[in-house]
Amino acid sequence: MRIGELSARSGASVRSLRYYEEQGLLTAGRDSAGRRRYPESAVARVALIRRGFAASLSSRVIADLLPLLEAACVPRSRALLDAERQRLEAQIAAMTQARTRLDEVIALVTDPTRKCDA
Amino acid sequence: MRIGELSARSGASVRSLRYYEEQGLLTAGRDSAGRRRYPESAVARVALIRRGFAASLSSRVIADLLPLLEAACVPRSRALLDAERQRLEAQIAAMTQARTRLDEVIALVTDPTRKCDA
DNA sequence: TCGGGACCTCACACCAATGTCAGCTTTTAG
DNA sequence: CTAAAAGCTGACATTGGTGTGAGGTCCCGA
């Protein structure tokens, strides 16, 4: 199929599909006019790629992961994914801490002698 | 005081102090040679600015907030901060959902017939 | 008078996926 | 035949606090 159809069937924009290719996540053949041609399996591949993005994985990590998944190499895939999970946890922790800081500021603003001109 | 001393006393880099000024968070006088001069109160102001950043506020929001704090306008400050808190909560929720997605991928990889070549 | 340190402005780099525009070719419908 | 639709490449914008470097001014001590 061509890129427009893949876009419609996968939900990814045409721009995104070209980007995935640029990042080495998706390969495409070319027809005589230079247009990308995709096999049926590309739909599933894009779905997997998008799952990765939805899981906050970067294109780089997805590029590393896809070959491992194809090779069905569980331990290595796990190692990669666990590291990403840890990164994500750290980010969540950072934002949670920021929320605590924000609550402190809110308390600071709210508690003292309150006066307002508007 | 000059920018180097303010940097040392506040913990913010010289670069950051200039950036704060550019964003309208911090004002500075100039001496005859064009160098920035800060009053003692600048130390406290930078501390407050940095608290804002630590609470994940953007320079834009801090710029809006500082005048309200100076006017001791609690309700408006609260409105602003509450809105930011909500934004932060939404981000935390998004990342938490991403973690769930990641866990799904991990389950997907881990569960099936496991085999590995490395 | 010379060296160096502190300061100045301007500006690019970073991270990263996507939107969008420009300018072009090819295919296809009418 | 022609116009529209679909595709192509290439490139810039977005977001934002900070690092870093170039190139210049100024001031102080030796």
Side-chain angles (χ1 to χ4, degrees):
Chain A
M1 78 195 75
R2 290 185 306 190
I3 199 170
E5 185 182 346
L6 180 56
S7 172
R9 288 176 59 184
S10 68
S13 70
V14 169
R15 175 68 178 89
S16 293
L17 294 176
R18 294 197 188 108
Y19 176 72
Y20 300 162
E21 181 175 337
E22 183 185 290
Q23 298 300 305
L25 310 181
L26 184 63
T27 56
R30 299 296 176 124
D31 66 15
S32 59
R35 291 177 301 196
R36 290 171 179 80
R37 303 312 294 253
Y38 300 93
E40 272 295 314
S41 61
V43 177
R45 189 168 181 95
V46 173
L48 190 53
I49 291 168
R50 300 195 86 204
R51 264 191 114 153
F53 282 125
S56 89
L57 301 184
S58 68
S59 60
R60 173 56 199 270
V61 169
I62 297 174
D64 291 344
L65 180 63
L66 286 175
L68 295 178
L69 293 183
E70 282 179 1
C73 177
V74 175
R76 297 231 263 191
S77 299
R78 275 301 303 256
L80 195 53
L81 292 170
D82 286 351
E84 286 302 306
R85 195 182 195 285
Q86 198 170 356
R87 178 190 57 77
L88 192 48
E89 284 286 6
Q91 286 189 9
I92 292 172
M95 304 200 73
T96 302
Q97 192 175 42
R99 185 181 55 190
T100 299
R101 299 278 164 273
L102 187 54
D103 286 339
E104 288 169 3
V105 173
I106 290 172
L108 193 68
V109 168
T110 305
D111 285 349
T113 57
R114 54 168 62 204
K115 49 181 178 177
C116 175
D117 48 298
Chain B
M1 78 195 78
R2 289 186 309 192
I3 199 169
E5 184 182 347
L6 180 57
S7 171
R9 289 176 59 186
S10 68
S13 71
V14 169
R15 174 71 177 90
S16 292
L17 294 176
R18 294 197 189 108
Y19 176 72
Y20 299 163
E21 181 175 337
E22 184 185 290
Q23 298 300 304
L25 310 182
L26 184 62
T27 57
R30 297 298 175 122
D31 67 13
S32 59
R35 291 176 303 195
R36 292 169 177 80
R37 302 313 294 253
Y38 300 93
E40 274 295 315
S41 60
V43 177
R45 189 167 181 96
V46 173
L48 189 54
I49 291 168
R50 300 195 87 204
R51 264 192 116 155
F53 282 126
S56 90
L57 302 184
S58 68
S59 60
R60 172 56 198 270
V61 169
I62 297 174
D64 291 343
L65 180 63
L66 286 175
L68 296 178
L69 293 184
E70 280 179 2
C73 177
V74 175
R76 296 229 264 191
S77 300
R78 275 300 305 256
L80 195 54
L81 291 170
D82 286 349
E84 286 302 307
R85 194 182 196 286
Q86 199 171 355
R87 178 191 55 79
L88 192 48
E89 283 287 5
Q91 285 190 9
I92 293 172
M95 304 200 73
T96 302
Q97 191 175 43
R99 184 181 56 190
T100 300
R101 300 278 164 273
L102 187 52
D103 285 340
E104 287 169 4
V105 173
I106 290 173
L108 194 67
V109 168
T110 307
D111 284 348
T113 57
R114 54 169 62 204
K115 49 181 177 177
C116 174
D117 46 300

